[in-house]
Amino acid sequence: MFHAQTCCIEGCSHSAVSFRDTCFEHIEEKEKYLDELSIYFDSTDIIKNLNLTGVILKDRDLSGRKFYVCDFRGSQVEKSNLSKISMRLCFLTFSRFSDCNLNELDLKYTTWSGANMSDCDFTGSDLLHTNFNGIQTRNCSFNDSDLYFSTFINAKLEETTFRDCNLKKVNFCESERVNVDFKYSNYEEALFIEETIF
Amino acid sequence: MKLFLHFAVLGFSNTYLFGPEEGGDAILIDPGVMNIELLNLIENNKFYIKHILITHNHSTHMAGIQTLKKIYDFDIYSAKPSMISGNAIQLVDGKTFNLNGFDVTPISIEGPSLDTFIFKIKNMLFTGDVLAAGVIGPTPNHQARPALLEKIKEKVVKMEGNPLIFPGHGPPSTLESELQFNPYFNGQRQLQSSNH
């Protein structure tokens, strides 16, 4: 992530993904690339410093992987199993997730800002110190999760549940909430109006 | 290169540690505390703290220095050498210097304190108390707040390359995200200068 190169295709300003000199869009054999990634993921416990911006994943199983300082900005993930994934200092801004299993995630110091999520299930996750500002959710569940010190500023949350969650120091300022359920959660310890936070 | 974030519960502040993949001389930014967890993080990665960058003189961002001094021999870079009980190398706004092969550009932004700097290293921006995910930093009084916002707009908002933002408190972000979702940049919150 710290040595991002630009796609070698003339006129393209997107970042080149890891193991290639082009962006994901300009990879000719995308499935082959994704299969190579799967082999790489299986070969190591910790996946780090990868640039996977704009990657499109469908029907993939990445469960249990540990990602460290990886860049998934603008990626699209559909019908995939990402349960029990661990992430530290990863960036998933403006990514899209639909119909994904995101149970029991272990996230810290990551950014999902601007992500669009539909029919995703984060149940039983630790989502600590994570940036969810500006996310758009529809029919998602964060039930039974610890969201300590995470932020949902300007998030648009629809048909989304936060049942039995730890919401201490979670920032929901400027968020729009339609049919959002905070039952059994300590929402009185969350922030809904701006105040001095630190 | 390796980058780590160490969270200090005292002050809810972030310390950043980065150094070479294979170990060696490393850089610490805003060591708000020095505890066994940070020590293990340093030692387990075979780092030696050679340089410390301080964004501003709040204790939650520099209280760990005294203990670190007993273990490592390092240079300190800050706005005011006198703020550290010892020598520090004074930062100059916009004057880039090189640490361990990385170009570090200090950018002066008065706001959280009169001696606040943020640091640009490659595509990373270490913003201390100036800017965090969805918020801007605290100021000593309300009158200083519009001035802080103007400084951020002048020196940060126009940066190219969509830098990654690593704040002194809270989770990381990107400049693109802040421009869209931070209420102080997207027009949701207005700060008025007060004239006396």
Side-chain angles (χ1 to χ4, degrees):
Chain A
M1 192 171 75
F2 305 103
H3 307 286
Q5 294 179 323
T6 307
C7 177
C8 70
I9 301 297
E10 191 175 340
C12 181
S13 60
H14 293 141
S15 292
V17 293
S18 293
F19 311 126
R20 291 291 189 276
D21 56 4
T22 70
C23 65
F24 185 76
E25 190 179 336
H26 284 121
I27 293 177
E28 288 188 357
E29 293 178 293
K30 293 182 173 59
E31 283 302 314
K32 182 181 172 192
Y33 174 70
L34 294 175
D35 289 338
E36 287 174 14
L37 274 182
S38 292
I39 294 171
Y40 174 73
F41 291 164
D42 287 338
S43 69
T44 176
D45 286 337
I46 296 177
I47 299 146
K48 53 185 179 180
N49 285 340
L50 277 195
N51 186 332
L52 297 173
T53 53
V55 163
I56 299 173
L57 301 172
K58 190 173 178 181
D59 295 314
R60 294 276 164 172
D61 187 348
L62 299 178
S63 59
R65 305 303 200 281
K66 295 180 182 177
F67 295 91
Y68 198 86
V69 196
C70 291
D71 193 347
F72 292 94
R73 287 179 282 178
S75 59
Q76 297 177 45
V77 185
E78 185 182 347
K79 291 189 173 106
S80 296
N81 182 8
L82 285 82
S83 62
K84 300 183 182 180
I85 273 180
S86 176
M87 285 187 173
R88 298 285 184 271
L89 286 173
C90 290
F91 288 77
L92 297 94
T93 56
F94 300 102
S95 53
R96 297 181 73 91
F97 290 81
S98 62
D99 199 11
C100 290
N101 180 355
L102 294 152
N103 290 174
E104 298 181 63
L105 296 190
D106 171 25
L107 304 185
K108 258 189 192 176
Y109 321 128
T110 63
T111 299
W112 295 56
S113 185
N116 187 305
M117 303 176 213
S118 59
D119 303 299
C120 290
D121 189 357
F122 289 84
T123 298
S125 295
D126 285 343
L127 310 171
L128 311 177
H129 217 123
T130 291
N131 179 353
F132 292 105
N133 293 349
I135 66 169
Q136 296 180 57
T137 65
R138 185 179 174 83
N139 196 32
C140 292
S141 169
F142 290 85
N143 293 347
D144 194 31
S145 295
D146 189 347
L147 290 148
Y148 180 75
F149 213 26
S150 289
T151 60
F152 288 82
I153 295 170
N154 263 313
K156 291 178 170 56
L157 309 171
E158 185 180 342
E159 304 290 340
T160 299
T161 56
F162 293 86
R163 286 191 163 211
D164 199 18
C165 291
N166 177 21
L167 299 178
K168 184 165 185 172
K169 296 182 80 69
V170 178
N171 192 333
F172 287 99
C173 293
E174 311 292 346
S175 63
E176 296 175 18
R177 304 176 297 279
V178 177
N179 290 335
V180 172
D181 185 357
F182 291 114
K183 200 169 186 179
Y184 308 127
S185 299
N186 54 339
Y187 59 83
E188 61 279 352
E189 292 191 272
L191 295 164
F192 292 90
I193 300 172
E194 186 201 15
E195 59 182 75
T196 301
I197 298 168
F198 56 84
Chain B
M1 194 186 102
K2 287 181 178 179
L3 172 68
F4 297 96
L5 186 158
H6 175 70
F7 178 64
V9 176
L10 182 69
F12 294 96
S13 62
N14 300 331
T15 297
Y16 296 96
L17 167 69
F18 67 99
E21 187 72 32
E22 64 280 8
D25 291 345
I27 300 169
L28 264 182
I29 300 177
D30 285 357
V33 72
M34 179 54 180
N35 54 21
I36 191 68
E37 289 82 15
L38 180 56
L39 181 64
N40 286 337
L41 191 61
I42 296 168
E43 294 295 318
N44 290 343
N45 286 283
K46 299 183 174 61
F47 288 152
Y48 185 91
I49 302 303
K50 199 68 181 165
H51 310 284
I52 291 182
L53 305 177
I54 302 293
T55 58
H56 63 296
N57 70 351
H58 289 172
S59 63
T60 53
H61 296 262
M62 48 183 273
I65 287 179
Q66 292 306 319
T67 305
L68 280 159
K69 271 187 190 178
K70 297 175 184 175
I71 308 170
Y72 306 103
D73 182 20
F74 46 80
D75 292 327
I76 303 172
Y77 296 79
S78 71
K80 289 183 179 176
S82 60
M83 80 165 72
I84 316 287
S85 55
N87 293 323
I89 299 169
Q90 185 157 11
L91 297 167
V92 177
D93 184 23
K95 187 175 179 183
T96 301
F97 53 95
N98 191 281
L99 297 179
N100 299 349
F102 295 103
D103 284 337
V104 180
T105 302
I107 302 166
S108 171
I109 298 188
E110 294 176 358
S113 62
L114 292 176
D115 55 0
T116 298
F117 274 82
I118 66 175
F119 299 104
K120 188 170 192 300
I121 304 173
K122 293 176 80 73
N123 65 332
M124 301 178 289
L125 209 54
F126 297 91
T127 55
D129 277 3
V130 167
L131 174 65
V135 297
I136 62 173
T139 49
N141 52 62
H142 283 294
Q143 285 83 357
R145 216 156 164 73
L148 169 62
L149 183 58
E150 285 310 306
K151 279 288 183 186
I152 297 173
K153 286 179 178 177
E154 175 192 330
K155 295 195 170 186
V156 177
V157 166
K158 294 169 189 167
M159 279 186 183
E160 293 180 355
N162 188 22
L164 310 176
I165 292 173
F166 295 97
H169 302 271
S173 186
T174 66
L175 180 58
E176 183 183 16
S177 300
E178 293 310 301
L179 292 178
Q180 282 204 34
F181 307 120
N182 188 317
Y184 292 97
F185 298 121
N186 67 8
Q188 286 173 302
R189 294 211 187 118
Q190 303 290 330
L191 292 175
Q192 298 293 331
S193 298
S194 58
N195 297 317
H196 296 279

